[in-house]
Amino acid sequence: FQGCDIAPPGGFEGIVFLDVNGNGTRELDEPAIPGVTVNFTRSNATTGTLTTNASGAYAATVRPGTTSI
């Protein structure tokens, strides 16, 4: 999954983008992708879904524990 950063404790955020050169880092000419569904699963097996906004960004606040995106 490209563009995923860890937010302060209790959340996560990121930007989905088209990684044209495949280096895993967003360059100025690589566009964000709005409307992408981002699924996540918590360590207790609960799941959630987010959709990227017009800027390709997503964010969620979660309780402490392990979350896979």
Side-chain angles (χ1 to χ4, degrees), residues 5 11 13 18 31 40-41 43 53 67:
D5 294 316
E13 61 186 11
L18 180 59
F40 61 94
T41 304
S43 57
N53 65 17
T67 301

Side-chain angles (χ1 to χ4, degrees), residues 3-59:
C4 181
D5 294 316
I6 300 301
F12 58 89
E13 61 186 11
I15 296 177
V16 177
F17 62 94
L18 180 59
D19 190 6
V20 176
N21 60 12
N23 70 353
T25 300
R26 186 175 182 201
E27 309 293 336
L28 293 176
D29 63 341
E30 294 177 328
I33 306 174
V36 174
T37 300
V38 178
N39 299 304
F40 61 94
T41 304
R42 306 266 301 131
S43 57
N44 64 1
T46 59
T47 60
T49 301
L50 303 168
T51 302
T52 59
N53 65 17
S55 300
Y58 62 89

